[in-house]
Amino acid sequence: MLEFVATHKYERVLFHQLEPMRNMKPKANETRKRQQGIEVAKAEGYTHFFLADADELYFSEEVEKAKLLFNDPSVNGLVCPLRVYVGKPTLWCEEDTLISFIHKLNRKTSTGDNPRYPFAYDKKGIAHIDGTRRINETNGIRKCDVVCQHYSYVRSNINMKIKNSTANLSKREDLIKRDIERSKPGYFSEIYHQPLKESENYFNIIV
């Protein structure tokens, strides 16, 4: 299971495998997996990192520009918006959640359900950042213009996604499957309450 990517001065990408524990709840397993990646990055001497699931992709030129923001020593981490793809790798809409992006790494860095992480909640108390990705840093967190391309509902087997997600997608299973079956430009997504837009297949994804 690989869902960790980190940047280093030598631009290496670190791969580490961790099997889930059967007696642990999905959210706890997810947090454990992400934290293990962070611990390996610490041991390897990484200075910055970000966590990425297998269905979350970024344009490399945007990532390179985001790195330059850390030339400002007051910046400790970045969060960014998501664009979610539904049914096909060319159909998308905006997602109202955010994702923790590049962060500085130190010996005390951890991730988990940290309620004080900036941007985790809006003024109404609605969560906008996954509870397994809230880094234990409260200062110097900025929102950036990088967009995470989230291919959440582009699957050859959507049942596997629904079964294994920590977001308990089973409650929305009918909506998800209906959106996927009907997906086309202009279709009004029942999950996201907005029409789907069309783009290129940027990463040549084959379903």
Side-chain angles (χ1 to χ4, degrees), residues 83 85 88-93 184-186 195-202:
R83 173 185 287 185
Y85 290 77
K88 298 179 180 65
T90 56
L91 296 175
W92 62 275
C93 62
K184 63 179 182 180
L196 298 181
K197 301 175 184 178
E198 190 170 27
S199 69
E200 300 175 37
N201 186 352
Y202 297 114

Side-chain angles (χ1 to χ4, degrees), residues 155-189:
R155 291 289 195 284
S156 59
N157 185 344
I158 192 61
N159 291 321
M160 187 177 294
K161 164 75 174 180
I162 292 170
K163 179 181 178 181
N164 294 317
S165 175
T166 59
N168 195 7
L169 297 179
S170 59
K171 293 181 179 179
R172 300 190 295 172
E173 182 173 354
D174 290 343
L175 293 182
I176 292 168
K177 290 184 175 180
R178 194 153 58 237
D179 265 8
I180 290 173
E181 290 170 1
R182 299 178 181 180
S183 59
K184 63 179 182 180
Y187 167 73
F188 194 84
S189 167

